Amino acid sequence: MLSHSAIWDAIDAIAERHGFSASGLARVAGLDPTAFNRSKRVSKDGRERWPSTESIAKILDATGENFEQFLSGGGAYVQMAAAIMRPSVPLLGLAQAGSGGFFDSAGYPSGQGWDEVPLPSTGQDGSYALEVSGDSMLPLYRDGDIIVVSPTAQLRRGDRMVVRTREGEVLVKILHRQTARTLELHSLNAEHKPRIIDMKDVEGMGRIIWASQ
């Protein structure tokens, strides 16, 4: 849970950085001058009172700071809020992905057993991550690398992609050609020959949109 005291500490810190008291900060943000008073932070019956997101937005607008700067004054709150706001996707080991129960009929992650990995940018709907094991995907992907797959991203020739077959194979390949009936895939490792897979044998596929390299 978020810390009540830490978020108020962040408000006090931004006031101090700009030379305001808590009341002065509220006033310059166009709020009631008593909005941030210490007496307003706990109700008469002892319940904790939290500032609204609208109030925080007005503080940032009035001081010219961004949310990251605001968080820098909140101590432990920074890590908690960053973890909440940072986009993430479900994570599964590549070796597990071929077994049943981890994807629904549309190719989206489902069921138990998924972990979670944060992304440096917003993930697309239904995206999931796989952890590479072994050296079969060298030289592009090494053991332990994380690849993020989007089942909704448009696939084009030359894209790196993941294909799951109905027999339980999980293939990381390069899309060479796709028709209504077949997929022609080239391997990441040049020593492996291209493969042609009948679309009726494909259980799911998606484009690799990010890797942890």
Side-chain angles (χ1 to χ4, degrees):
M1 295 179 65
L2 299 180
S3 166
H4 173 265
S5 61
I7 193 169
W8 282 112
D9 286 347
I11 289 176
D12 289 338
I14 196 172
E16 184 176 353
R17 285 198 296 274
H18 291 271
F20 297 118
S21 63
S23 296
L25 178 62
R27 188 178 295 108
V28 77
L31 302 170
D32 185 303
T34 65
F36 299 147
N37 286 4
R38 292 191 178 277
S39 61
K40 293 290 187 74
R41 302 180 185 186
V42 180
S43 65
K44 291 182 179 180
D45 60 2
R47 289 180 299 173
E48 295 177 337
R49 298 177 66 179
W50 296 69
S52 68
T53 53
E54 180 182 9
S55 296
I56 293 174
K58 288 183 175 181
I59 291 172
L60 300 181
D61 184 59
T63 59
E65 292 200 14
N66 57 41
F67 196 63
E68 188 173 316
Q69 291 170 315
F70 169 74
L71 291 179
S72 68
Y77 176 71
V78 178
Q79 294 180 344
M80 291 184 289
I84 290 172
M85 295 183 67
R86 190 177 181 187
S88 61
V89 293
L91 168 67
L92 187 68
L94 189 65
Q96 296 174 271
S99 56
F102 291 107
F103 295 88
D104 63 20
S105 60
Y108 294 98
S110 66
Q112 302 297 316
W114 289 88
D115 201 344
E116 193 170 78
V117 61
L119 291 180
S121 59
T122 303
Q124 301 184 36
D125 290 344
S127 294
Y128 58 91
L130 298 174
E131 183 175 357
V132 174
S133 58
D135 58 4
S136 63
M137 297 167 196
L138 291 173
L140 292 179
Y141 303 123
R142 299 164 296 178
D143 184 57
D145 282 347
I146 302 295
I147 56 175
V148 175
V149 184
S150 170
T152 61
Q154 182 179 1
L155 283 163
R156 299 179 295 267
R157 181 172 179 169
D159 282 344
R160 298 169 190 175
M161 65 182 299
V162 169
V163 178
R164 293 181 296 106
T165 71
R166 298 190 184 281
E167 295 183 352
E169 280 188 291
V170 180
L171 308 170
V172 180
K173 299 287 185 179
I174 298 173
L175 177 61
H176 182 72
R177 186 167 179 259
Q178 180 179 1
T179 70
R181 295 183 178 180
T182 61
L183 276 178
E184 183 176 346
L185 305 171
H186 286 196
S187 296
L188 300 176
N189 189 330
E191 295 182 359
H192 293 271
K193 296 180 179 180
R195 285 189 60 174
I196 296 178
I197 300 177
D198 197 307
M199 287 299 298
K200 66 178 174 51
D201 295 326
V202 174
E203 185 173 65
M205 60 184 183
R207 179 159 63 89
I208 296 173
I209 59 173
W210 181 80
S212 66
Q213 297 168 300

